Amino acid sequence: MKYKSHLISILLLFVISNTFAQKANILSTDKLKNFVTEFNASDDEAVVNFVPNAQSFEWLSQNIPLFECPDSVIQKVYYYRWWALRKHLKQTPDGFIFTEFITKVNHAGKHNAVSSALGHHIYEGRWLRNQQYINEYTSFWLDVDPKHTVQRFHGFSSWIDDAVYNRYLVNLDKAFIEKNLLTLEADYRKWEVEKQLPNQLFYQFDVKDAMEESISGGRKDKNIRPTINSYMYGNAKALVAMAKLAQNDTLAQKYEAKAIELRKLTIDNLWDQKASFFKVKLEKTNGFSDAREAIGFIPWYFNLPDDKANVAKAWNQLIDTTGFKAPWGLTTAERRHPLFRTHGSGHGCEWDGPLWPYATTQTLKGLSNLLTNYKNHGAMNAQVFYDELHKYANSHQMNGKLYLGEYQDEKNGEWLKGDNPRSKFYNHSSFADLIINDLVGLKPRADNVLEIKPLISEKQWDWFCLDNVFYHGKNLTILWDKTGKKYGKGKGFMAFVDGKQIAKAKKLKELKASL
């Protein structure tokens, strides 16, 4: 009853805050409406879930942060990704869920649910104004799926604890954390039973990382991978934070010790000093794979690596055309490797080099963390982040029209499954979160401090505005106006809460203020 009452309070707050937000906003919904009209007109709407195209503008205008920038590609894709995400929102007898595939697939569970991109879904969905959708979706995997005869949640590696806590940093819904803490902790222990080796590291089959047909992996090889070990480290850290929030000191101390140990084991065992890269350790040889793969960047997603120059050197591979840099984006394996793009096997997916939005999202999040949380950056800078984010946005096309699919050719952008109905609007990555959290740089915190660390240069853009962000129960606006003529609020970088300016800087740089 306590949690139900809290949910009712959240919904009432949503209605009240949404009404107030419309009055406090700097941006109108006109641009959103124009884009939605265009997206709807080009869509045959073969599948209709909770919000049909005809109601998409209304739903989006009530739920998403508004964004405006001079980069027409990033601008358009920002709204396209929200419009496409809305297509996957499904109301079921077990509550709201988000699907991954727009059509039914055989390996999905109940209601066509697939857990492989759950972390991405929660990170993206944390910016929705109405949090009922993500609440119920998370509860579906934690409470409903375990009751099934054939459970699907552990069909794929997961960073759910990390995602749930990072969502809390946006909405401060303590009751949701307290309600689910012990279930999340039990789920962590289940992973230990299923996938932890005697050496305390975790193994995974590449297909269960949602990364099948990789150079280093195998569908039956119990290799120790940077993916699952990074995820479990991030989960352990999140459990520490959530346990402290719930004043469960015993649990906090338990997972603090686990996080410290797993971090050390991952660095000691998966860092290949010769290659200057995190790599897969092979079950059969107990040695490293000879391939650098994009999963070697995932440790930075969770701020796991040491802040050292020789470690940051790994990122130099991102701008090497024999490494991961390609005309259409970031490859999933280094291009110099002799097995690059050789695994086309009839299984329909391959992670031996093609571009996957799933991996691009992870790599860009890791790069953002390197640039904002570390002193040593190697050859990386904000321009590299912007260039790759722009390429990622630009890759959302097929035959000159907007499109989001599974994976692409790195040289020409061809979607390698073609216009397969199951791949259309493939909900296997995130994009809006990279704009909000990383490019604009809104860094959610548990305290009352607003922190913004932009990864955009004032030489790149003269203006931008992120508006209608529901953060800590308030309506937040972040804008940059080099000349002061675009928004009429004066020159500089500014933050507004509920329409009131709380911070300003002359330059486009880090901002901090009390909410």
Side-chain angles (χ1 to χ4, degrees):
M1 288 298 294
K2 178 183 176 183
Y3 182 71
K4 186 175 182 181
S5 299
H6 184 76
L7 181 58
I8 292 172
S9 299
I10 289 176
L11 294 175
L12 287 173
L13 182 62
F14 160 71
V15 174
I16 295 169
S17 67
N18 197 52
T19 302
F20 179 80
Q22 292 173 356
K23 296 178 181 179
N25 285 348
I26 289 174
L27 298 181
S28 75
T29 57
D30 292 348
K31 187 167 288 189
L32 169 64
K33 188 172 186 178
N34 290 337
F35 279 128
V36 168
T37 300
E38 177 185 343
F39 302 155
N40 286 347
S42 63
D43 180 35
D44 61 8
E45 200 169 15
V47 176
V48 179
N49 284 316
F50 181 62
V51 184
N53 283 357
Q55 297 172 16
S56 59
F57 168 70
E58 180 182 7
W59 187 88
L60 290 167
S61 64
Q62 291 174 353
N63 274 286
I64 69 169
L66 302 173
F67 179 63
E68 182 179 62
C69 74
D71 186 318
S72 60
V73 175
I74 289 177
Q75 169 72 91
K76 192 171 188 176
V77 172
Y78 175 82
Y79 284 129
Y80 174 73
R81 286 298 300 259
W82 280 122
W83 179 84
L85 178 71
R86 172 268 324 171
K87 281 180 166 289
H88 289 272
L89 179 60
K90 191 173 183 179
Q91 189 173 33
T92 78
D94 297 306
F96 284 104
I97 69 163
F98 285 92
T99 58
E100 177 177 311
F101 296 93
I102 201 72
T103 60
K104 183 174 176 55
V105 293
N106 292 333
H107 66 277
K110 195 175 184 182
H111 311 307
N112 203 37
V114 180
S115 67
S116 65
L118 176 60
H120 287 323
H121 295 167
I122 296 175
Y123 264 85
E124 196 92 324
R126 64 181 173 158
W127 302 109
L128 291 171
R129 189 168 285 264
N130 187 346
Q131 283 292 300
Q132 178 186 1
Y133 308 122
I134 296 295
N135 282 346
E136 294 184 6
Y137 181 41
T138 305
S139 296
F140 171 82
W141 288 113
L142 294 178
D143 302 325
V144 179
D145 183 72
K147 297 173 184 176
H148 297 164
T149 304
V150 180
Q151 298 173 17
R152 304 295 178 128
F153 184 28
H154 280 220
F156 297 99
S157 306
S158 172
W159 61 102
I160 184 173
D161 309 76
D162 166 83
V164 166
Y165 180 66
N166 276 278
R167 185 176 78 111
Y168 164 78
L169 295 178
V170 173
N171 64 24
L172 298 186
D173 187 357
K174 184 178 177 181
F176 187 83
I177 298 296
E178 291 175 332
K179 174 180 179 288
N180 290 288
L181 176 60
L182 295 183
T183 305
L184 289 166
E185 194 270 334
D187 183 70
Y188 190 103
R189 287 187 279 109
K190 185 177 180 181
W191 279 109
E192 289 180 319
V193 171
E194 292 176 352
K195 294 292 167 67
Q196 195 168 36
L197 295 165
N199 65 6
Q200 301 305 299
L201 285 161
F202 291 84
Y203 76 88
Q204 187 57 288
F205 312 116
D206 64 357
V207 66
K208 296 302 184 181
D209 264 341
M211 299 176 179
E212 59 269 38
E213 313 307 327
S214 65
I215 294 175
S216 68
R219 290 173 177 256
K220 297 182 180 179
D221 296 329
K222 295 182 178 180
N223 295 335
I224 302 172
R225 296 169 60 83
T227 44
I228 190 169
N229 287 285
S230 297
Y231 299 161
M232 297 308 291
Y233 169 72
N235 287 337
K237 282 202 310 178
L239 284 169
V240 172
M242 290 188 285
K244 289 179 178 178
L245 190 66
Q247 298 182 326
N248 189 328
D249 295 339
T250 301
L251 206 62
Q253 291 169 8
K254 174 182 176 180
Y255 280 90
E256 182 70 43
K258 287 180 182 290
I260 291 171
E261 180 183 33
L262 186 53
R263 178 178 182 271
K264 184 178 186 305
L265 287 169
T266 301
I267 292 172
D268 290 348
N269 288 275
L270 299 187
W271 176 254
D272 183 347
Q273 188 66 40
K274 291 182 179 179
S276 297
F277 215 77
F278 283 99
K279 284 187 176 180
V280 169
K281 185 156 280 189
L282 303 171
E283 176 192 15
K284 293 176 181 177
T285 65
N286 198 36
F288 288 117
S289 162
D290 66 354
R292 294 184 185 90
E293 297 167 299
I295 58 175
F297 295 119
I298 290 177
W300 279 274
Y301 190 110
F302 306 97
N303 299 292
L304 182 154
D306 290 325
D307 192 354
K308 295 179 179 178
N310 69 308
V311 179
K313 184 180 176 182
W315 285 93
N316 295 355
Q317 296 293 328
L318 209 68
I319 55 174
D320 188 336
T321 55
T322 65
F324 298 89
K325 185 180 179 67
W328 276 77
L330 298 172
T331 58
T332 47
E334 57 182 335
R335 300 175 73 192
R336 65 173 67 85
H337 196 278
L339 295 181
F340 181 82
R341 295 297 307 276
T342 63
H343 286 57
S345 62
H347 290 288
C349 296
E350 52 179 296
W351 286 73
D352 59 351
L355 317 179
W356 282 81
Y358 183 103
T360 300
T361 303
Q362 291 180 320
T363 301
L364 288 175
K365 181 69 72 175
L367 176 56
S368 172
N369 286 342
L370 176 84
L371 293 172
T372 56
N373 300 331
Y374 286 72
K375 294 180 180 178
N376 292 285
H377 301 157
M380 297 297 98
N381 53 46
Q383 190 63 51
V384 175
F385 180 86
Y386 179 83
D387 290 345
E388 293 303 330
L389 180 66
H390 179 88
K391 275 198 282 188
Y392 177 31
N394 191 58
S395 72
H396 288 68
Q397 59 173 290
M398 177 188 282
N399 300 324
K401 297 181 180 179
L402 282 173
Y403 190 87
L404 174 61
E406 294 190 50
Y407 64 119
Q408 292 173 285
D409 184 280
E410 75 283 356
K411 293 180 180 178
N412 59 26
E414 175 192 358
W415 292 98
L416 295 169
K417 289 186 74 68
D419 193 14
N420 188 316
R422 85 166 204 168
S423 298
K424 201 171 185 180
F425 310 115
Y426 188 42
N427 190 24
H428 197 235
S429 59
S430 71
F431 183 85
D433 179 68
L434 290 172
I435 300 297
I436 299 166
N437 183 220
D438 303 294
L439 186 66
V440 173
L442 173 56
K443 302 301 179 185
R445 297 170 55 131
D447 59 17
N448 201 39
V449 175
L450 175 66
E451 183 175 25
I452 309 166
K453 294 183 176 181
L455 285 179
I456 185 71
S457 166
E458 56 188 68
K459 295 179 181 179
Q460 190 77 51
W461 289 350
D462 287 347
W463 50 267
F464 70 81
C465 182
L466 177 67
D467 203 1
N468 193 44
V469 184
F470 193 49
Y471 178 72
H472 286 205
K474 303 176 186 297
N475 198 60
L476 176 65
T477 302
I478 301 169
L479 70 82
W480 159 245
D481 193 342
K482 193 172 185 177
T483 66
K485 297 178 181 179
K486 178 67 177 177
Y487 299 110
K489 299 292 182 180
K491 299 180 182 179
F493 188 39
M494 292 162 257
F496 299 80
V497 170
D498 294 337
K500 180 181 179 182
Q501 187 181 110
I502 63 166
K504 183 175 182 179
K506 293 181 179 180
K507 300 291 184 180
L508 185 51
K509 62 179 185 179
E510 180 179 353
L511 273 186
K512 272 189 179 182
S514 178
L515 283 169

